[in-house]
Amino acid sequence: MANLSIIAAGPYTTVQDSGRTGYQAFGVPEGGTMDDDARICGNWLVGNSADAAGLEVYIGGLHFTVDAPLVIALTGTPSDQLHITSQSGAERRIEAGQTSQLESGDSVFLPPMRGSNLAFIALSCVFDLPAVYGSLSTSLNAQLGGLDGRRLAAGDGIKITPQECPYQPRALHDNANFFAPADSLSVVLGPQDYAFAAEEIDKLLSHEWTLSPKMDRMGIRLTGPSIAHKNSADILSDGIVKGAVQVPGDGQPIIMMADHQTTGGYTKIACIISADLGKLARLHAHKKISLVTVTQSEAEALAGQHAAELAKQQRNDVA
Amino acid sequence: MKPVWFPAGDRGLLLDLTGYGAQLGGLPPAEDRQAFTRFARALAQRIKGLLTAGQLNGITDLVPGLASLLVHYDPLQISAAEIKKNVSIILEAPDDLAHTPARTWQLPVLYGAEAGPDLAEVASRCKMSEAQVIETHATTMLEVGIMGFLPGLAYMTGLHPSLHLPRRTEPRTHVAGGSVAIAMDQTVIYPLDSPGGWNLIGLMPIPLFDARRVEPVLLKAGERVSFMPVNAGEYRKLQEACKDGQLPIAPIQAG
């Protein structure tokens, strides 16, 4: 048993794993990492299973110490670095996308990030926190999972059990390109695109959209031209997928993210394809994006290609 | 009307049971909705049966809506086309989609005063006394239509027509967890403190969700619910009894 002690948590740091699957009919949100690419890559680097829990950090500002040797990696950003200080005061910097061995007493600091809006810190340990429906993911709106269902804060301590495996240095195949910021995302129209006239759907696809700073783990608001409904924004409540682009009465789209509610009563004009959800999660507020359509079967093929690219990132063992 | 499939990205497929979405962009009449909701739940059960039997793979979650079923799937394991093919076979055999038996609950409620700040207004708008509102609300058997929004939140349909009111025009920024609220033909109980626009008539002391319980979620879609008025002393006793994750009540009828 060992400890991870939070010195500073930054504005929005939570414990996240792959989330809760199969309980949405009870109103239990999926949760899980906003950027699954970062989680899968990070866990591979430190020798964890792909669905293991780590720290999801918005913006940066996380500072913590550990009292046991651990392997660490920062993922989800093309360019940022972890600043590590040993007990003796020696400093070193670790690039995103590669591993480092922490010694007992080391402190780790993630300064405000430039390459991404959020990142994942993987550690070769198990967090000793109670699982809810099989997951440690923190859901702030449902107040469950993680550490008492809340964001981490200065002074928090998390008990951890380090994995017992020899240190094996690893690096992602091409971190800088794989996590480079996107300026275009693909969507599949529907399930309620019929609620909009053709010229309103054209608006969605032909204008640039700006990511509003009003973003959190539940959703990301887009600002741009107002999209009008044929009749009404209301539908009989139905299920929601991560990535659904909901258009409420004010005509400004909201993309439902990891902590989205399980059901809702607003029209959803389109859904971001699964291969692009990580890219979206990494974009900073005020960034401009455009949306392009693909069919559902094209999106399924792109999901397959994306899985292959992820696998490619995970094959380049450093000697 | 024939159910219609709509894509929900490459990880979701929505079956609109009304067929209204595609043809009218409108809503089915209120009297049809309970039947659509029951059908959605029964269809989810049938598909679960196929998953358990190993006849279908790659479906990650099934979420019944008020008149739809959302099939969450893993595109690396199955395609939307394959799901449509498999589910269409079930849709053509509707005999198997009969209503399944479900548990019946009688939930304790502290009605009125500070526990239900809108009770007096509801009574005056419905032209009834407060006691009549309580009597009518408590004794009408409701059905959990769907679960959603937050863990444990049940949308209970079948509210007595004499109590049908719209939502409040000014939603409250803070509604206490446990609040029993009515609007339209439904009753909900807020699982947690949250904003809300429904008419608050009472408080229910048993948490709808408690991760420490064997079954963390109290109510499930399809179950039947009526209410039992309790006084402040009984309310506090029941609330106290739940403190350590215990459940001091049981269904009055097993499923």
Side-chain angles (χ1 to χ4, degrees):
Chain A
M1 195 63 90
N3 278 291
L4 189 155
S5 309
I6 306 290
I7 300 165
Y12 204 139
T13 299
T14 53
V15 175
Q16 298 296 341
D17 59 17
S18 56
R20 302 176 173 84
T21 303
Y23 304 102
Q24 290 190 76
F26 301 156
V28 178
E30 295 175 273
T33 38
M34 292 280 283
D35 179 1
D36 293 343
D37 301 340
R39 170 178 48 77
I40 292 166
C41 287
N43 279 324
W44 173 75
L45 285 169
V46 303
N48 288 344
S49 67
D51 55 1
L55 302 174
E56 182 181 275
V57 191
Y58 265 94
I59 316 282
L62 174 66
H63 191 188
F64 64 93
T65 61
V66 293
D67 64 0
L70 289 177
V71 186
I72 189 170
L74 169 70
T75 51
T77 167
S79 56
D80 294 282
Q81 297 173 326
L82 291 174
H83 295 200
I84 297 171
T85 310
S86 72
Q87 244 169 346
S88 65
E91 287 184 28
R92 59 203 167 94
R93 293 186 177 194
I94 307 302
E95 296 289 341
Q98 55 184 263
T99 52
S100 179
Q101 169 86 52
L102 296 179
E103 299 304 331
S104 177
D106 279 2
S107 78
V108 178
F109 177 56
L110 176 64
M113 292 182 285
R114 278 189 286 191
S116 177
N117 195 40
L118 88 176
F120 187 78
I121 295 180
L123 294 156
S124 62
C125 66
V126 172
F127 290 86
D128 185 25
L129 293 168
V132 180
Y133 286 115
S135 164
L136 300 188
S137 273
T138 313
S139 171
L140 296 176
N141 49 322
Q143 299 169 22
L144 59 84
L147 197 65
D148 306 326
R150 60 170 175 81
R151 299 172 204 206
L152 298 184
D156 282 342
I158 304 175
K159 296 240 181 302
I160 54 172
T161 305
Q163 305 279 28
E164 284 176 28
C165 51
Y167 176 53
Q168 187 182 15
R170 283 178 171 174
L172 297 180
H173 180 70
D174 186 3
N175 184 72
N177 279 319
F178 186 73
F179 288 108
D183 39 32
S184 155
L185 302 170
S186 295
V187 297
V188 177
L189 290 178
Q192 283 98 27
D193 52 323
Y194 58 76
F196 303 88
E199 58 267 30
E200 300 300 317
I201 292 174
D202 280 350
K203 258 188 214 169
L204 181 79
L205 302 173
S206 59
H207 283 83
E208 273 197 327
W209 293 90
T210 305
L211 269 67
S212 156
K214 280 189 208 160
M215 55 165 74
D216 59 18
R217 285 183 40 85
M218 274 189 88
I220 296 173
R221 282 166 193 273
L222 301 180
T223 52
S226 182
I227 295 179
H229 300 81
K230 273 185 198 162
N231 300 311
S232 150
D234 296 335
I235 54 165
L236 287 180
S237 286
D238 65 4
I240 294 176
V241 296
K242 184 177 171 185
V245 184
Q246 181 172 287
V247 184
D250 69 3
Q252 295 292 287
I254 304 172
I255 307 177
M256 310 309 283
M257 295 302 283
D259 279 344
H260 68 84
Q261 62 247 40
T262 56
T263 58
Y266 290 119
T267 46
K268 293 163 286 289
I269 192 170
C271 298
I272 307 287
I273 69 168
S274 64
D276 285 356
L277 284 172
K279 291 177 195 165
L280 170 62
R282 295 190 286 269
L283 294 177
H284 285 103
H286 307 296
K287 166 89 182 160
K288 288 187 182 347
I289 52 161
S290 56
L291 301 172
V292 294
T293 52
V294 294
T295 66
Q296 189 171 34
S297 63
E298 285 166 347
E300 288 170 347
L302 289 166
Q305 275 179 34
H306 184 71
E309 283 166 34
L310 261 175
K312 192 175 154 195
Q313 293 305 317
Q314 299 171 37
R315 71 176 187 211
N316 181 26
D317 279 10
V318 176
Chain B
M1 242 176 264
K2 205 173 152 29
V4 184
W5 291 104
F6 293 103
D10 57 320
R11 283 187 189 166
L13 194 54
L14 184 77
L15 184 63
D16 180 342
L17 295 172
T18 69
Y20 269 73
Q23 294 168 34
L24 304 174
L27 304 179
E31 60 270 24
D32 291 349
R33 290 182 199 168
Q34 216 171 31
F36 281 125
T37 311
R38 286 180 185 153
F39 189 82
R41 292 198 307 261
L43 187 57
Q45 283 305 324
R46 260 306 289 282
I47 298 172
K48 258 181 220 161
L50 293 183
L51 296 172
T52 312
Q55 292 169 323
L56 195 56
N57 288 306
I59 290 178
T60 53
D61 212 345
L62 292 159
V63 183
L66 289 175
S68 62
L69 178 68
L70 178 62
V71 180
H72 291 263
Y73 70 97
D74 175 0
L76 303 180
Q77 291 187 59
I78 195 168
S79 69
E82 288 168 283
I83 295 169
K84 285 181 199 173
K85 200 175 69 188
N86 278 284
V87 174
S88 296
I89 296 166
I90 304 175
L91 281 171
E92 280 159 20
D95 292 353
D96 292 314
L97 298 174
H99 196 50
T100 46
R103 299 187 292 189
T104 304
W105 297 88
Q106 194 174 33
L107 300 178
V109 176
L110 173 61
Y111 282 100
E114 281 157 36
D118 296 334
L119 180 65
E121 197 188 315
V122 167
S124 99
R125 288 172 73 188
C126 296
K127 303 189 170 52
M128 296 163 89
S129 68
E130 291 190 21
Q132 284 171 320
V133 172
I134 293 171
E135 167 76 14
T136 309
H137 183 259
T139 56
T140 309
M141 186 65 76
L142 305 178
E143 181 175 312
V144 178
I146 59 168
M147 306 286 294
F149 204 71
L150 280 172
L153 177 57
Y155 291 85
M156 294 174 271
T157 59
L159 184 68
H160 195 275
S162 63
L163 295 177
H164 289 196
L165 290 172
R167 274 175 280 206
R168 294 170 58 82
T169 39
E170 291 281 317
R172 286 186 169 86
T173 52
H174 181 263
V175 172
S179 289
V180 178
I182 58 172
M184 301 155 298
D185 64 336
Q186 295 175 34
T187 294
V188 295
I189 305 172
Y190 288 83
L192 299 166
D193 293 359
S194 59
W198 292 47
N199 305 288
L200 311 179
I201 60 171
L203 280 172
M204 206 281 285
I206 317 293
L208 293 171
F209 178 91
D210 188 330
R212 296 168 299 182
R213 294 196 298 243
V214 180
E215 285 183 68
V217 164
L218 182 69
L219 304 173
K220 299 200 174 62
E223 294 183 348
R224 292 162 182 282
V225 180
S226 64
F227 301 96
M228 179 178 42
V230 295
N231 62 36
E234 292 164 329
Y235 174 85
R236 273 195 301 276
K237 224 178 261 174
L238 284 162
Q239 205 177 29
E240 193 62 35
C242 297
K243 280 257 155 72
D244 299 317
Q246 303 297 311
L247 185 59
I249 60 165
I252 55 169
Q253 203 181 305

